[in-house]
Structures are given as C-alpha cells and as structure tokens.
Amino acid sequence: MWKPDHRLAADRRGLRYPSDLTDAEWALVAPLIPPAKRGGRKRTVDVREVLNAIFYVLATGCQWKALPKDLPPKSTAHSYFMLWNWSRTLERIHEALYVAAREAADKEPSPSVAVIDSQSAKAAQKGAHQSIRRVSTRVRKSPAANDISLSTRSGSCSV
C-alpha cells in the first residue's frame, strides 16, 4: 500500500526526465561502473549522462537516433550500452537498484512469492520464443489450394 513516505521516495518531478538517476541512485550505481581502460585516453564523457541516455531509451522505447540533444550522442550511448551489456554491468546495476527499491518499500530484497498463470507455464515448458514464432509465421492455405496440389501430386505419381 502506498504511504506518503513511499510517494516521496518515488517522486521524480525534480529530474529532467523520469528515467534519469537521482543522486541517491547514482551513489548506489557509481561504484558498479567499470573504470576506463588503462593506457588509453582519459574518459571525457560523463558516465552518469550515458547511463541516463541508456535508461531513457529503455524507458521510452525510442530509437537510439531519437535521443534528445541534451543527452550524449547515440553512438556514445549505444557503445557503452553494448559494452556494459556484454560485461554484465547493466545486470549488476539492475540488481542494485532493484534491491534498493525493495528495501525502500520495506520488503525483503528478493521476492518470496511469485504468481504464474497457466499460459506462462505452458510457454516456459515449450520455449516461448519458438512457440510465438511458429504461431506468428504459420502459412494458411485455402482448402481449394490443398485439393489442387493433392490432385496434381497424385496425377503425376500414378504413371
């Protein structure tokens, strides 16, 4: 149940975009960001802004090329996204923010109960991606087309 202190914690009105990191969230996430590579140039990009750009794309579903001009360029944001996705940095960031959000709501860090409906269970058993692909790409032929192809096959085979 939402309480006034929960609403205060979830309020994102002071941010430029609702997907931007608050200072408290950044304090949690900053240690998880890998340092710049040794031996190369110093990092000139603001990593917090790059993360804000990644969160903007993930929250809005927009294309990389549709990033607002006040966020880092799409090439920079996408490169960091690919790098951090490959190194599982984004997974660690998600886990840290998830645990913090659950603890702020006075809940256990990991959920103790899950609800799964029968459709989800069936999809998980079959492999949801394959079953979705099969259903969406099935070609339906008319009965007349089936009769023609059967008569053609049977006529050509009975020589």
Side-chain angles (χ1 to χ4, degrees), residues 116-132:
I116 300 176
D117 64 346
S118 60
Q119 281 301 112
S120 299
K122 288 177 189 174
Q125 288 173 353
K126 292 180 181 178
H129 296 299
Q130 291 174 355
S131 63
I132 290 169

Side-chain angles (χ1 to χ4, degrees), residues 28-108:
L28 270 173
V29 168
L32 301 174
I33 303 289
K37 292 180 183 176
R38 292 181 56 203
R41 287 191 306 166
K42 287 190 174 184
R43 191 180 271 166
T44 58
V45 68
D46 182 5
V47 181
R48 182 175 180 171
E49 284 299 305
V50 170
L51 204 52
N52 284 338
I54 291 170
F55 286 162
Y56 182 86
V57 169
L58 294 176
T60 62
C62 78
Q63 297 176 356
W64 289 102
K65 64 183 178 183
L67 274 173
K69 296 292 181 195
D70 57 345
L71 291 171
K74 66 174 179 144
S75 58
T76 303
H78 188 262
S79 296
Y80 274 95
F81 173 75
M82 296 300 286
L83 175 69
W84 290 342
N85 191 34
W86 177 80
S87 66
R88 299 201 183 265
T89 300
L90 291 177
E91 197 173 304
R92 290 190 295 274
I93 290 171
H94 176 266
E95 181 67 21
L97 293 174
Y98 177 76
V99 168
R102 287 196 54 90
E103 287 174 349
D106 295 326
K107 296 181 179 179
E108 290 291 320

Side-chain angles (χ1 to χ4, degrees), residues 132-144:
I132 290 169
R133 204 175 312 124
R134 255 187 266 127
V135 170
S136 64
T137 60
R138 184 181 303 151
V139 177
R140 298 184 185 268
K141 294 182 181 178
S142 68

Side-chain angles (χ1 to χ4, degrees), residues 3 13 16 19 38 62 69 102 110 115 145 151 156 159:
K3 297 178 183 168
R13 272 185 271 168
R16 178 182 46 181
S19 59
R38 292 181 56 203
C62 78
K69 296 292 181 195
R102 287 196 54 90
S110 59
V115 177
S151 63
S156 63
V159 174

Side-chain angles (χ1 to χ4, degrees), residues 7-23 25 48-49 52:
R7 291 197 186 281
L8 267 177
D11 186 23
R12 304 187 78 73
R13 272 185 271 168
L15 301 173
R16 178 182 46 181
Y17 300 109
S19 59
D20 282 355
L21 289 168
T22 63
D23 292 335
E25 291 168 340
R48 182 175 180 171
E49 284 299 305
N52 284 338

